[in-house]
Each structure stands twice: as structure tokens, then as C-alpha cells.
Amino acid sequence: MRSNSVLVSPVTEDDCQFHPGQTLMKKINVVLAIRDIDLRLSLDLMLRDGLNLNVLGTATTFESTLGLIRAERPDIVLLEWSLCSCPIEDGLKHFKEGNPELKVIMLGNRTSQEQLAHHFGADALIRIGGAPEDLHSTIRNLISQETENSKFKE
């Protein structure tokens, strides 16, 4: 049976989930920063069950997102475009303070937002209502880039 899990470098057993035939690997930690409850719940379920990621928590305001990021130090934040109450570029700078390896995936309604998202410091933009495979492949790509760059190397 093929697994959809996104896993990275070996760490301690307490931080891991092990499946027979797999190397003991650290699970990817995610924070969901999304106002819309239906979107938040569906993404939470998809990330936990579909990709076997560890959703550390959810936030519905910029301030609660910032607090959650600082407290939990996730690997990835999924951030709804409209959640930032300040200019987006300032918000993303605050998110990455003290955690420059943090990957931010913006969730937007228009593909035209992609260039702006990258300009402001986001690592990717996913269109709300897009195919779930787009999110899956984006997360896998970000993690594989990070693995190559060092955070998860032994």
C-alpha cells in the first residue's frame, strides 16, 4: 500500500510516527491560520488524514496566529490571505522572526495573487477551492527543498 505521508529526517521516537517498513522520521508540524470554519476543518482533516501531518493548532486572527507560531514553532503555516490585519509583507516578516525556516503557504481566491504572495515573502500560494493535489504537491515540494537546504538534514 502506498503512503501519502510527508516525512523528513530522523529524530527522536517521541516526535515521530513509525510505520513498518519506513525509517523513523519527524512529522511535519503545521499551523492553520484560517477564519472560515468550513475551510479550516476540511484542511485540518485533509492534512491529518491525507498527508499524515501534525496540525499543532488553528488560529482565526493575526495576533493568535503570531502567538501560536512563536509558541509552537511549526514547519509550515497555511495562512488565509484575508487574515492579516496589517500589510501582508509586515505580517510575514513577524511570522518568520526567530524562525526563518518557517514555510508560509498563502491561501487566496485568485491566481493573480501568486506573484504578490511571493513578493511579500510567502513560499507559495494555493487557490482556495483548488484541487487538493495542488496543496499536497506544494507541501511535498517545500519540504523536499528544505531537506536539501539543511533544516532536516542529519
Side-chain angles (χ1 to χ4, degrees), residues 84-92:
C84 281
S85 54
C86 57
I88 291 173
E89 64 269 29
D90 293 339
L92 296 182

Side-chain angles (χ1 to χ4, degrees), residues 3-14:
S3 171
N4 288 331
S5 297
V6 176
L7 301 169
V8 293
S9 69
V11 292
T12 67
E13 216 169 304
D14 294 336

Side-chain angles (χ1 to χ4, degrees), residues 44-104:
D44 188 314
L45 181 64
M46 182 178 71
L47 294 173
R48 288 178 197 263
D49 293 348
L51 285 176
N52 196 27
L53 301 179
N54 185 31
V55 177
L56 296 171
T58 62
T60 59
T61 66
F62 174 80
E63 293 77 17
S64 61
T65 302
L66 187 57
L68 193 55
I69 289 169
R70 288 180 176 164
E72 298 294 337
R73 298 186 50 81
D75 301 303
I76 298 173
V77 173
L78 271 72
L79 175 65
E80 186 177 7
W81 187 275
S82 63
L83 193 76
C84 281
S85 54
C86 57
I88 291 173
E89 64 269 29
D90 293 339
L92 296 182
K93 286 177 191 171
H94 289 301
F95 288 173
K96 292 191 176 197
E97 283 176 1
N99 189 7
E101 298 89 14
L102 175 68
K103 300 297 181 189
V104 179

